[in-house]
Structure formats: structure tokens, C-alpha cells
């Protein structure tokens, strides 16, 4: 036997290496392991500080690599208009996201953070992105496949900036157009909203046949985690006041506002955002019965629940009056990730203290963290935490702009076409001598995009890359046709000029959330005067650019045609495509168009239902009849034709959404 002490040393050394080898294998890092196994393994290794960090989402302006490392932050977001630089390129976005991610990966356990952004109609915060029509317009298309394809394109444009998480779709059922977020809702009818949740399949990928109900699903690197919002009843607040109280019985809550969440969960939505609003006086951010009892337990949702921006702060009135209580109430209600977004150390300190005092249980924290990790594991974030520029060419891609243009065409709703059933005004001739284009929204890209476009509140003018309705008209008409633009021509201008016809584009200014709450619902001044002045002197078609129905009945007799264009986004060419007859009108109202705001709230099926244009209304162009002819444009205007009997019959028929053919609702003859 030679030097037994050395042999024992060798054995100990080998045992040491073996032990190190075992330690290096961590189940949570092995993609071959089942997701639940990975969650259990990682959760068992985490300290309380690491767990609380995972529940924390902060704004990018307060984030850094050091912050990620020190506080184990689980998520970052860009608030509305929060960008790394003006007109930032995909490379600038990707580099920023990766710097934050490297900080997260450098922590002891290397848990990647998830970056989220409000991509609610395309990647709308980002310069040069394709901005699609807002949901109110998409609802008028009643085309779930279109929604799915928009989801696919949006996912690619979000990934182009290195971001894997979109706070979309909004599945609110807006029951009162006075609400400032009504344009984020597809319809007043939950059935249309349910159908349009197919956008989730585009954002996240087609769900596998054997997928367990409630388990989130994100298909790969070209997809993003989606977020159904705002749970629940946000579209039903009293008088349409944002963040207010939804007064509703169980049948109304479960039969009107809840159904879109059934569909979203079945389609594998990864996250659900809680509403600022209350249900029957109970703040949703503190509503354990609905968040935990119904969403998680009854609907078996297994993704994570996220608060809205400063959402837990608003549990108290005034907001943050007792922040410690808000943290306690929010997390115990079932919120898994808190969108802090700025003073994250206060949230972390309070949450930690509440757990240490057993006011928030460790099991509640473990549930929250498990749900967050489930989404991160499912979407492959542990395997591919860093973004690259492989999707950079997807931002503002030609094919995506063509898709947005298609969406615009399909969203347009023809509300009036001529002053008699046998004399239609649209489509307009491309070879007219001289066309007047007027109105505050004709040459304003920001106005036609609306809120949540580059900035939170939107903006005015050339806020990004796109085509205004004016430019679209110019590119559509014949070479010999003169297009004259005057935003608000006065009487003198009209007297001095002779036009074949006029196109007037007016509507609402951009807005978002509470700023958009409006009890008057009038179009932006001087829109009414523009309509009166021009339409009294030349035959005119009026295009309304708005996030909801607006007061239009007083001006209806003055115009030959009326089109609801909603908030079409960057691709204004879609409006001209249909005005000039390259495509037909197919859109149907997904919202009731009221006569007067005094009627509100008024939804299809209500006992007092007496709309200007009913839910489901939308004219089509009769291809067997000619449209407007310049030869007919000279001379006095035709007298107003009122077909009373036909109006009464058709208003009843159209209320049941039976489709419109060539006939018109009585209001369209005014």
C-alpha cells in the first residue's frame, strides 16, 4: 500500500468534484423538464427578497442593471410614450431591453425579467410602427380572422423592439360611449368582443389541441405574451365615468362583462390586468371574490394577474392614502404582479414587512411567483432571454401596412348615401374636375390615429410614418383631377371657387382614459361650421374620425353621404379605397349611434331603444346604380326625401341586425 494519505485525499477531491457536478445541474434550467417541475425547483431555491422582486414591475425610466441586480426585479414596462429616444430605431430598443435583461441575468439565480408595453393597436408607442385601427373600428369589421392576423403582425413588430409582452387586448364591453376608453372596446355586445379575442391567437400563437384550459400558451420567439384587460366590468361604469363604479347584478356581470374572459382563457391568454373600476362599490384591485374566487378558482386561470399603473395605490381614496394597506389588500385579493411603477422600494419594503408579519402569507407569495414563472418558462424566456435584431425588419413592414389598410376598409361604416333610395352619392368619381377636401382631420395623421399613438394621449400632425386621408385621396384620383385642401374654408372662399364635390373629414381630438370622458360627445370645433358652410354650397360626403358615435343628427340633412371611419391609424389609404369604389362598404355598427346624449346609456335590447342608427346598421353600395356623377352636381340640391313608412319598418328590422342590402335606415334619408 503506497501513501494511503494521498489516496484518501484523491478520494475526497473526487467526491468534491462529484458534488460540484450535482450542484451545477438545476432542474429549473433544463427545458426538457416539465414546467411545473421547473417552477417547484426554482421556487424552492428563492429567498423572500427574490420572490418579492419577481412580483415587482417598474417603469423603464427608474430601471438600470444595478437596480435589476439589487432588487431582483421581475418586470419592466414602458408607459404610454416612454421610449429610449425620440424616433428610436429597433436597434436602440433592443439594446435598452438587453441591458436591463443582463442585470436580471446576473443575479444569483439568473431569472430573466419580462418587458411589457401597451401595444394596443400595433406597437403604437414606437416610431414607424404600423398603427392599426383602434378596437372600435375592428369591431365594425366583425372579422375574427382579421383580428388574428393583426395579432400576428403586432407580435412581430413588438418583437422587433426586443419586447416579449403586450398589454393587449382590451376586452371591455363598453356600454356607454361617454367613457373615455370606449374606442378600446370592440363592441357594446359581448358576443362581438368574444369573437375578436381571436387576436390572442395571433399574438401568442394557435393553442395546441391538448392544451389544458387556463394554462398560458406562447408559441415561440415570434410571439408575445398577451394580456386580457381590464378585469372586470370596466366598460359598464356609471355614466361612463372612467375608473368609476359598475352597478350591476350577477346576471349582468356574468352575462355581459365576463364572457370575453371565458374566451381569452380558453385561448391561452398569459396574463390578465385588473381594472381601476369597482363592481357594486368594491374596488377590483382589492376584490378577492372576483380575482381569486372567480378568475383563478372558477375559471381556472393559471397565468398571472397584473395590476394597472398605480392600481393598488387607487384602492384608497385619495390614492396612496394608506399604501401599506393597499399592498396588503391588492396582493391578498390575488394580484400577482404589481405595476408599481416608480417608487418600487416602498412597495418592496411594505410587501416584505407584511409577509414577515404573516399579514400576507408565504403561500400567497409562492402562488404569485409560481404564476409569473409559469409564463416566463412557457414562453421560453429562460432559454432565450436576450433579444436580437432578427425581427428588426418587421417594424412598419409593407405587408403589415397593407393589412392595416385592409382593416381600415373593412371597418368603415356607410351611414348615409344619397337623399333618396334610388340616388346614391358614393362611390365618388376619380375623374372629377375639382375636389375640395376640408376638415380638421383630413390632413392630420395624429388625429386619425387617436390616443395611445406615440404618446399616451396621442398627438397632432405627423407624429409617425403613415398616410393621411388627404394624401390618400390625392393618390387615388385621376391625374387630371385637381384636389384643393382647405381645413375650414370661409364663405368667401366657397363663393370664389367651383368644386365638383367636397369631402369633409372631421371628428374628435385624440385622448386617452379619463381625459376622454365626455358628456357632450360633439365633434371638434370648427367641424360643425365646416359642414354647414361647405355642404350648403356643394354636394358633400362627410367622414367622421372618432373613437365612438358623436352628435351628428343636426347636420345629417345637409350632407349627401356620411361615413364612420372611427380611428383608422396610419393607413389612411384604406378610406380612399372605399370612398372611390375600389372596394365596397362592408362595416356594420358594433355600437348604437344615438340621436342625443340625453338617451345615454342606450344599448341594443334596451326598452327605451330609439337610435339614430341601430346596432348592426351599415349600408352597402348598389353596384347596379351609378354613384355620383359630376354632370348631376350642377344646379340646386335635391329636396330632402322622407320615407316615413319605410323608415319605421326598417328601423325595427335593422335593430335585429338582419343585414342591410341596398336599403337605408330612415335617418340615412335625412
Amino acid at each position: 500500500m503506497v501513501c494511503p494519505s494521498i489516496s484518501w485525499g484523491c478520494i475526497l477531491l473526487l467526491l468534491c468534484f462529484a458534488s460540484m457536478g450535482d450542484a451545477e445541474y438545476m432542474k429549473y434550467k433544463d427545458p426538457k423538464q416539465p414546467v411545473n417541475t421547473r417552477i417547484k425547483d426554482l421556487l424552492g431555491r428563492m429567498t423572500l427578497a427574490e420572490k418579492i422582486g419577481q412580483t415587482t414591475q417598474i417603469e423603464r425610466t427608474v430601471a438600470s442593471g444595478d437596480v435589476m441586480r439589487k432588487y431582483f426585479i421581475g418586470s419592466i414596462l414602458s408607459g404610454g410614450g416612454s421610449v429610449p429616444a425620440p424616433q428610436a430605431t429597433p436597434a436602440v430598443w433592443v439594446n435598452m431591453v438587453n441591458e436591463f435583461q443582463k442585470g436580471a441575468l446576473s443575479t444569483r439565480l439568473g431569472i430573466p425579467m419580462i418587458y411589457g408595453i401597451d401595444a394596443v393597436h400595433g406597437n403604437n408607442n414606437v416610431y414607424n410602427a404600423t398603427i392599426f385601427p383602434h378596437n372600435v373600428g375592428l369591431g365594425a369589421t366583425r372579422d375574427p380572422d382579421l383580428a388574428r392576423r393583426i395579432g400576428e403582425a403586432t407580435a412581430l413588430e413588438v418583437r422587433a423592439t426586443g419586447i416579449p409582452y403586450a398589454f393587449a387586448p382590451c376586452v371591455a364591453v363598453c356600454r356607454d360611449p361617454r367613457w373615455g376608453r370606449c374606442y378600446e372596446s370592440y363592441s357594446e355586445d359581448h358576443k362581438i368582443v368574444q369573437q375578436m379575442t381571436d387576436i390572442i391567437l395571433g399574438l401568442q400563437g394557435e393553442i395546441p389541441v391538448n392544451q389544458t384550459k387556463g394554462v398560458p400558451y406562447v408559441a415561440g420567439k415570434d410571439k408575445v405574451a398577451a394580456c386580457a384587460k381590464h378585469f372586470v366590468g370596466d366598460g359598464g361604469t356609471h355614466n361612463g365615468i372612467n375608473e368609476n363604479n359598475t352597478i350591476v347584478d350577477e346576471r349582468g356581470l356574468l352575462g355581459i362583462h365576463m364572457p370575453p374572459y371565458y374566451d381569452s382563457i380558453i385561448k391561452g391568454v398569459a396574463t390578465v390586468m385588473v381594472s381601476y373600476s369597482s363592481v357594486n362599490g368594491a374596488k377590483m384591485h382589492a376584490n378577492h371574490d372576483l380575482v381569486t374566487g372567480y378568475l383563478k378558482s372558477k375559471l381556472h386561470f393559471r397565468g398571472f394577474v397584473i395590476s394597472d399603473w398605480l392600481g393598488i395605490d387607487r384602492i384608497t381614496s385619495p390614492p396612496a392614502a394608506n399604501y401599506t394597506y393597499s399592498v396588503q389588500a391588492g396582493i391578498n385579493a390575488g394580484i400577482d404582479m404589481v405595476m408599481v411603477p416608480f417608487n418600487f422600494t416602498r412597495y418592496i419594503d411594505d410587501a416584505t414587512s407584511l409577509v414577515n408579519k404573516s399579514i400576507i402569507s408565504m403561500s400567497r407569495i409562492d402562488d404569485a411567483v409560481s404564476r409569473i414563472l409559469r409564463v416566463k418558462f412557457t414562453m421560453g424566456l429562460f432559454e432565450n432571454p436576450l433579444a436580437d435584431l432578427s425581427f428588426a425588419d418587421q417594424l412598419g413592414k409593407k405587408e403589415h401596412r397593407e393589412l392595416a389598410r385592409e382593416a381600415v376598409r373593412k371597418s368603415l361604416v356607410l351611414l348615409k348615401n344619397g337623399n333618396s333610395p334610388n340616388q346614391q352619392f358614393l362611390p365618388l368619381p376619380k375623374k372629377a374636375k375639382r375636389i375640395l377636401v376640408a376638415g380638421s382631420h383630413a390632413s392630420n395623421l395624429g388625429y386619425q390615429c387617436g390616443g395611445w399613438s406615440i404618446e399616451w394621449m396621442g398627438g397632432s400632425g405627423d407624429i409617425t410614418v403613415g398616410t393621411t386621408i388627404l394624401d390618400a385621396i390625392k393618390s387615388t384620383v385621376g391625374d387630371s383631377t385637381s384636389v384643393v385642401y382647405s381645413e375650414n374654408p370661409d364663405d368667401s372662399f366657397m363663393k370664389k371657387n367651383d368644386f365638383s364635390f367636397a369631402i369633409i373629414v372631421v371628428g374628435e381630438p385624440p385622448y386617452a382614459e379619463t381625459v376622454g370622458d365626455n358628456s357632450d360627445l360633439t365633434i371638434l370645433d370648427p367641424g360643425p361650421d365646416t359642414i354647414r358652410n361647405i355642404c350648403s354650397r356643394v354636394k358633400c360626403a362627410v367622414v367622421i374620425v372618432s373613437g365612438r358615435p358623436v352628435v351628428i343628427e343636426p347636420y345629417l340633412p345637409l350632407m349627401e353621404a356620411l361615413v364612420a371611419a372611427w380611428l383608422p391609424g396610419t393607413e389612411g389609404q384604406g378610406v380612399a379605397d372605399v370612398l372611390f369604389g375600389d372596394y365596397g362598404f362592408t362595416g356594420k355598427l358594433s355600437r348604437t349611434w344615438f340621436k342625443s346624449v340625453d338617451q345615454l346609456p342606450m344599448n341594443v335590447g334596451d326598452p327605451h331603444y330609439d337610435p339614430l342608427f341601430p346596432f348592426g346598421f351599415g349600408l352597402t353600395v348598389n353596384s347596379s346604380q351609378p354613384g355620383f356623377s359630376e354632370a348631376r352636381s350642377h344646379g340646386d340640391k335635391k329636396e330632402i326625401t322622407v320615407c316615413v313608412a319605410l323608415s319605421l319598418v326598417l328601423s325595427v328590422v335593422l335593430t335585429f341586425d338582419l343585414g342591410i342590402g341596398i336599403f337605408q335606415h330612415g335617418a340615412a334619408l335625412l
Side-chain angles (χ1 to χ4, degrees):
M1 191 173 184
V2 180
C3 194
S5 62
I6 295 177
S7 62
W8 277 111
C10 292
I11 291 170
L12 289 171
L13 190 61
L14 288 171
L15 288 172
C16 181
F17 280 128
S19 175
M20 288 174 61
D22 288 341
E24 286 176 359
Y25 176 72
M26 299 181 183
K27 287 183 179 179
Y28 79 89
K29 292 187 176 182
D30 184 355
K32 295 179 182 179
Q33 292 289 337
V35 168
N36 285 340
T37 300
R38 300 178 77 183
I39 293 170
K40 184 178 180 181
D41 179 65
L42 179 51
L43 193 65
R45 300 172 186 273
M46 296 173 71
T47 64
L48 177 59
E50 289 166 331
K51 291 175 181 179
I52 297 295
Q54 282 301 300
T55 71
T56 309
Q57 186 180 68
I58 65 175
E59 219 284 329
R60 62 159 205 94
T61 53
V62 297
S64 68
D66 288 340
V67 166
M68 304 305 289
R69 278 187 292 274
K70 183 176 180 180
Y71 296 99
F72 314 105
I73 301 296
S75 184
I76 302 176
L77 83 152
S78 276
S82 179
V83 298
Q87 301 186 11
T89 63
V92 172
W93 278 96
V94 167
N95 288 339
M96 177 194 70
V97 173
N98 281 346
E99 284 305 306
F100 294 144
Q101 189 67 281
K102 289 172 184 176
L105 296 176
S106 69
T107 56
R108 182 178 71 93
L109 295 171
I111 304 173
M113 66 87 186
I114 183 170
Y115 197 111
I117 196 167
D118 281 287
V120 297
H121 60 142
N123 197 3
N124 43 265
N125 278 282
V126 178
Y127 184 80
N128 195 38
T130 307
I131 297 183
F132 292 91
H134 266 298
N135 289 352
V136 65
L138 297 183
T141 72
R142 301 177 184 230
D143 188 341
D145 181 67
L146 175 65
R148 180 189 58 77
R149 289 184 286 136
I150 288 172
E152 290 176 344
T154 299
L156 289 169
E157 297 210 16
V158 171
R159 283 288 191 173
T161 53
I163 296 172
Y165 180 22
F167 302 129
C170 176
V171 296
V173 182
C174 176
R175 305 289 285 175
D176 192 327
R178 292 173 293 185
W179 184 38
R181 306 193 77 157
C182 204
Y183 64 79
E184 297 184 56
S185 168
Y186 293 107
S187 178
E188 70 189 46
D189 181 2
H190 68 84
K191 293 187 292 294
I192 291 178
V193 180
Q194 287 177 269
Q195 292 168 5
M196 301 304 279
T197 58
D198 273 10
I199 193 171
I200 293 168
L201 301 177
L203 290 166
Q204 297 191 160
E206 295 284 344
I207 194 164
V209 176
N210 60 348
Q211 179 79 357
T212 302
K213 177 189 172 184
V215 175
Y217 178 77
V218 183
K221 289 180 68 176
D222 59 344
K223 301 297 180 182
V224 296
C227 180
K229 64 184 188 183
H230 308 84
F231 187 83
V232 59
D234 53 337
T237 56
H238 181 63
N239 290 335
I241 299 171
N242 191 44
E243 304 181 19
N244 203 252
N245 188 28
T246 297
I247 305 167
V248 64
D249 60 18
E250 184 178 20
R251 182 179 179 184
L253 182 66
L254 301 185
I256 295 173
H257 299 287
M258 195 68 77
Y261 291 95
Y262 307 155
D263 290 72
S264 298
I265 290 167
I266 288 170
K267 292 167 187 175
V269 73
T271 72
V272 170
M273 185 181 292
V274 180
S275 177
Y276 288 126
S277 58
S278 303
V279 171
N280 297 325
K283 288 277 190 179
M284 278 306 308
H285 273 75
N287 198 319
H288 180 273
D289 288 346
L290 286 173
V291 176
T292 296
Y294 202 88
L295 177 63
K296 291 183 173 182
S297 299
K298 192 171 183 66
L299 299 185
H300 306 292
F301 175 61
R302 306 262 312 271
F304 70 78
V305 175
I306 186 170
S307 82
D308 208 332
W309 176 280
L310 292 170
I312 65 168
D313 301 53
R314 303 188 199 189
I315 289 173
T316 59
S317 183
N322 185 342
Y323 190 73
T324 302
Y325 168 75
S326 292
V327 173
Q328 170 191 334
I331 294 179
N332 280 339
I335 291 171
D336 304 310
M337 181 178 285
V338 175
M339 191 183 292
V340 176
F342 299 116
N343 194 353
F344 57 89
T345 55
R346 179 179 61 169
Y347 163 73
I348 290 171
D349 290 345
D350 280 358
T352 303
S353 174
L354 288 165
V355 174
N356 287 332
K357 294 175 182 177
S358 299
I359 296 172
I360 296 174
S361 68
M362 185 61 79
S363 62
R364 172 75 272 271
I365 295 299
D366 286 349
D367 173 63
V369 176
S370 295
R371 290 168 175 275
I372 294 165
L373 294 178
R374 180 173 293 113
V375 171
K376 291 182 177 183
F377 280 128
T378 297
M379 65 192 300
L381 204 55
F382 278 78
E383 287 68 55
N384 297 289
L386 295 173
D388 56 39
L389 294 175
S390 57
F391 294 107
D393 62 347
Q394 298 294 323
L395 192 74
K397 191 176 181 181
K398 180 182 177 182
E399 289 82 355
H400 298 167
R401 293 190 182 277
E402 285 299 318
L403 175 61
R405 181 175 172 180
E406 175 191 345
V408 173
R409 291 195 297 261
K410 291 181 174 180
S411 70
L412 301 180
V413 180
L414 181 58
L415 299 174
K416 179 180 180 180
N417 193 18
N419 284 319
S420 65
N422 60 355
Q423 184 178 312
Q424 59 186 16
F425 189 67
L426 300 179
L428 297 169
K430 296 179 182 179
K431 295 182 179 180
K433 184 178 179 182
R434 208 156 179 256
I435 302 171
L436 172 64
V437 179
S440 53
H441 290 58
S443 185
N444 194 316
L445 191 63
Y447 277 16
Q448 74 185 44
C449 289
W452 290 110
S453 301
I454 304 302
E455 298 287 346
W456 175 37
M457 288 290 154
S460 178
D462 295 331
I463 61 172
T464 188
V465 177
T467 303
T468 65
I469 295 172
L470 173 63
D471 287 339
I473 292 169
K474 289 179 177 179
S475 68
T476 301
V477 299
D479 293 339
S480 62
T481 299
S482 173
V483 176
V484 177
Y485 172 66
S486 178
E487 183 173 329
N488 184 35
D490 58 19
D491 192 56
S492 174
F493 178 90
M494 294 304 298
K495 286 179 179 178
K496 292 177 183 177
N497 288 275
D498 183 27
F499 297 105
S500 305
F501 57 86
I503 301 171
I504 303 169
V505 190
V506 291
E508 293 187 296
Y511 54 82
E513 302 193 36
T514 304
V515 173
D517 286 356
N518 190 327
S519 59
D520 297 326
L521 297 182
T522 54
I523 59 178
L524 183 66
D525 283 333
D529 288 339
T530 305
I531 293 172
R532 291 190 193 98
N533 189 36
I534 296 174
C535 296
S536 64
R537 294 189 172 274
V538 63
K539 289 183 180 293
C540 65
V542 175
V543 178
I544 302 292
V545 174
S546 67
R548 52 198 163 188
V550 291
V551 174
I552 198 66
E553 186 181 35
Y555 324 115
L556 202 53
L558 301 172
M559 60 189 74
E560 268 66 36
L562 176 63
V563 176
W566 313 111
L567 297 170
T570 53
E571 306 314 302
Q573 190 64 50
V575 176
D577 288 343
V578 182
L579 287 179
F580 289 90
D582 290 333
Y583 294 82
F585 285 92
T586 59
K588 308 294 181 187
L589 289 180
S590 62
R591 299 212 51 79
T592 296
W593 203 293
F594 57 86
K595 293 176 182 176
S596 164
V597 292
D598 295 334
Q599 297 175 295
L600 300 176
M602 178 176 63
N603 295 284
V604 63
D606 287 350
H608 66 290
Y609 198 68
D610 181 29
L612 180 63
F613 300 108
F615 174 88
F617 182 78
L619 300 172
T620 57
V621 171
N622 184 358
S623 59
S624 66
Q625 291 183 5
F628 173 72
S629 165
E630 190 164 0
R632 291 197 284 110
S633 70
H634 300 292
D636 294 332
K637 285 196 164 195
K638 297 289 183 182
E639 294 181 359
I640 297 171
T641 304
V642 181
C643 302
V644 177
L646 182 61
S647 167
L648 291 172
V649 172
L650 289 180
S651 65
V652 174
V653 173
L654 293 172
T655 298
F656 293 95
D657 189 19
L658 296 179
I660 311 299
I662 66 171
F663 298 102
Q664 301 192 21
H665 185 266
L669 298 172
L670 294 177

